[in-house]
């Protein structure tokens, strides 16, 4: 089969995140800087996507001052250290076709210069001139040296505890090359 090559349309693509703590959750978005992937229908998929850590947005906090403080905290070394690590990467390294339009993938996720393997189901809807990739991954932040208020590293956190796992829901729209 022929291989189709695609370039991610960053304006039409989204990554949404949810982080949870004892007292609730926060959600937001993060931008995609660039990305390319190749699809060999029914056989394999490969690609690499660059995430702009400086574009983290909080969607559930309406007060502008509080939202800015929270965004700055997420950009700090307590979390993503966006000044030193302005980019994160998601690179598909293995894909097995499953049911229609679905692949089981393994990918390298790099945050703060630390790379870990993640597994996910990836749904791909491809046409002649574009494709849509969708997946949800659960990330253990402690594997990327994000320790702030983690019970793995601190005790007696009470209701200030932040759970280690956060979700990324990825929706990439790409144009055929």
């Amino acid at each position: 089969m022929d291989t189709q090559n695609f370039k991610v349309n960053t304006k039409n693509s989204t990554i949404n995140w949810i982080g949870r703590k004892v007292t609730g959750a926060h959600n937001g978005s993060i931008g995609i800087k660039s990305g390319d992937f190749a699809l060999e229908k029914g056989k394999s998929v490969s690609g690499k996507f660059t995430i702009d850590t400086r574009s983290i947005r909080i969607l559930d906090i309406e007060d502008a001052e509080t939202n800015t403080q929270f965004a700055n905290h997420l950009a700090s070394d307590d979390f993503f250290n966006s000044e030193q690590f302005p980019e994160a990467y998601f690179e598909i390294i293995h894909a097995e076709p499953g049911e229609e339009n679905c692949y089981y993938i393994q990918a390298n996720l790099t945050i703060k210069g630390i790379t870990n393997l993640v597994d996910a189901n990836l749904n791909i809807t491809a046409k002649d001139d574009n494709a849509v990739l969708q997946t949800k991954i659960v990330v253990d932040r402690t594997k990327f040296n994000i320790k702030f208020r983690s019970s793995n590293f601190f005790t007696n956190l009470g209701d200030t505890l932040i759970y280690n796992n956060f979700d990324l829901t990825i929706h990439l729209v790409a144009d055929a090359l």
Side-chain angles (χ1 to χ4, degrees), residues 33-34 50-54 80-82 84-89 110-113:
K33 195 169 188 177
S34 63
T50 302
I51 301 162
D52 180 1
T53 67
R54 292 181 176 174
F80 295 99
N81 194 357
S82 297
Q84 184 175 351
F85 301 100
E87 297 176 343
Y89 305 97
T110 303
I111 299 172
K112 292 177 75 169

Side-chain angles (χ1 to χ4, degrees), residues 2-3 9 34 37 57-59 63 81 100 112 116 119 124 132-135 143 148 157 166 174 176:
D2 293 336
T3 299
N9 180 324
S34 63
F37 73 94
R57 301 288 176 257
I58 297 90
L59 300 177
D63 177 71
N81 194 357
E100 186 177 341
K112 292 177 75 169
N116 285 285
D119 298 326
I124 302 175
V132 176
L133 286 76
Q134 298 181 92
T135 189
K143 291 182 177 180
F148 186 78
L157 291 169
F166 67 93

Side-chain angles (χ1 to χ4, degrees), residues 10-138:
T10 58
K11 289 181 177 30
N12 294 329
S13 299
T14 59
I15 298 177
N16 292 312
W17 59 265
I18 297 175
R20 294 171 183 84
K21 56 186 181 173
V22 172
T23 58
H26 290 290
N27 67 287
S29 65
I30 187 166
I32 299 155
K33 195 169 188 177
S34 63
D36 297 289
F37 73 94
L39 174 64
E40 187 175 347
K41 288 186 182 175
K43 291 191 178 180
S44 117
V45 61
S46 60
K48 184 172 183 178
F49 314 101
T50 302
I51 301 162
D52 180 1
T53 67
R54 292 181 176 174
S55 69
I56 296 172
R57 301 288 176 257
I58 297 90
L59 300 177
D60 65 308
I61 298 176
E62 293 181 17
D63 177 71
E65 185 177 332
T66 303
N67 189 300
T68 299
Q69 288 173 345
F70 187 18
N72 289 340
H73 193 209
L74 288 176
S76 78
D77 192 40
D78 282 343
F79 289 95
F80 295 99
N81 194 357
S82 297
E83 187 172 318
Q84 184 175 351
F85 301 100
E87 297 176 343
Y89 305 97
F90 184 85
E91 182 175 13
I92 299 168
I93 58 169
H94 178 76
E96 293 178 24
E99 295 183 26
E100 186 177 341
N101 298 329
C102 190
Y103 293 82
Y104 166 77
I105 64 165
Q106 292 182 317
N108 282 328
L109 178 62
T110 303
I111 299 172
K112 292 177 75 169
I114 300 167
T115 302
N116 285 285
L117 189 66
V118 295
D119 298 326
N121 290 315
L122 176 67
N123 184 281
I124 302 175
T125 305
K127 298 177 184 170
D128 290 337
D129 59 345
N130 64 32
V132 176
L133 286 76
Q134 298 181 92
T135 189
K136 178 181 175 181
I137 59 174
V138 177

Side-chain angles (χ1 to χ4, degrees), residues 151 154-161:
S151 63
F154 303 97
T155 58
N156 301 319
L157 291 169
D159 64 2
T160 65
L161 171 84

